[in-house]
Amino acid sequence: MVAAAVAIAFADSSIVVLALPELYVDFDASIVGISWVITSYNLVVAVLGIALVPLSRRVPVPWLAAIGLALFLAGSIGCGIAPDLTFLIAFRILQGIGAAFLLSASLRLLVALLGGETSVGDLVTVLEQSQPRVSRHLRLLAEAGLVESFREGRSIFYRWSAEGLDAGVAGSVASVAGSDD
C-alpha cells in the first residue's frame, strides 16, 4: 500500500506537467506563476523529505503513511477546487507535505526490509508478526552474533553485525540499505 501511495505521489509531479498549458489559460497566469505549480511541490518534497528522516525513526511507519496519505488527499481535493493560482500553489504545497511523509514512510520500510537499522516496532509492522515473536527471533539472532542492538532514546534498534556475517554479505546489505556502517 505504501509503495502504491509513493508511486502516485511521485507520478503526480510528472502528470501535472501535462496540465500546465490548460492551467496557464484557465488562471490567466504568467509562465513564472505557473512554474510554481511544479516547483512548490518538488521543493517541499525535497526539503521536507530530508527533514523528516529523524522523525521517521521515532514515529511508526503506518502513522507516517496515514498522515502522508491524508495530507496528499486533502491537497489533491484542494487542487481540484482551487479558484485561483495562489490557492492552487498552496494546495500543491500541501500535496508536497503529504508526499514527503509518504517518502519518509517508504524509506523506513525499505531500510527495515533491506537490513539497515530498524526497531522491533517497524519489523512487527513489516513482517505482520507479534512483538514477542519478533523480539524472540531478534534475541536469537543477537545471541548468534548476526545482529547487534543499540539504544537510541527509549527505543531499541537492530542492525546486521559485521562481525557475525561474512564481510562481503554485510557490505552488500549495508550498501543496498544505504548505511554507512
Side-chain angles (χ1 to χ4, degrees):
M1 179 183 94
V2 173
V6 169
I8 291 168
F10 284 101
D12 181 74
S13 185
S14 300
I15 292 168
V16 170
V17 170
L18 300 174
L20 289 180
E22 191 172 321
L23 294 172
Y24 178 73
V25 172
D26 289 351
F27 291 129
D28 191 30
S30 67
I31 296 292
V32 172
I34 221 64
S35 70
W36 276 102
V37 173
I38 299 291
T39 304
S40 61
Y41 178 86
N42 290 333
L43 185 64
V44 169
V45 170
V47 172
L48 191 58
I50 292 168
L52 285 174
V53 169
L55 178 67
S56 72
R57 294 189 66 146
R58 290 171 176 74
V59 176
V61 170
W63 289 19
L64 289 173
I67 291 167
L69 282 171
L71 291 172
F72 189 82
L73 178 61
S76 297
I77 292 169
C79 286
I81 61 171
D84 61 28
L85 188 61
T86 303
F87 278 96
L88 179 62
I89 292 170
F91 286 120
R92 289 289 290 163
I93 290 170
L94 184 60
Q95 278 185 314
I97 294 168
F101 271 88
L102 288 169
L103 175 63
S104 180
S106 68
L107 290 176
R108 192 73 189 129
L109 279 174
L110 283 174
V111 169
L113 291 172
L114 297 175
E117 298 171 353
T118 189
S119 69
V120 174
D122 286 345
L123 290 172
V124 165
T125 301
V126 171
L127 300 172
E128 297 182 359
Q129 297 291 319
S130 68
Q131 187 272 331
R133 177 175 284 192
V134 171
S135 293
R136 186 182 78 223
H137 289 286
L138 285 170
R139 194 170 30 258
L140 292 171
L141 289 169
E143 289 172 4
L146 296 174
V147 297
E148 54 189 25
S149 65
F150 63 98
R151 183 176 293 277
E152 185 174 302
R154 295 186 320 175
S155 300
I156 297 175
F157 290 87
Y158 289 86
R159 64 177 161 228
W160 292 110
S161 171
E163 292 82 33
L165 293 173
D166 174 70
V169 174
S172 297
V173 170
S175 68
V176 170
S179 174
D180 304 272
D181 298 324

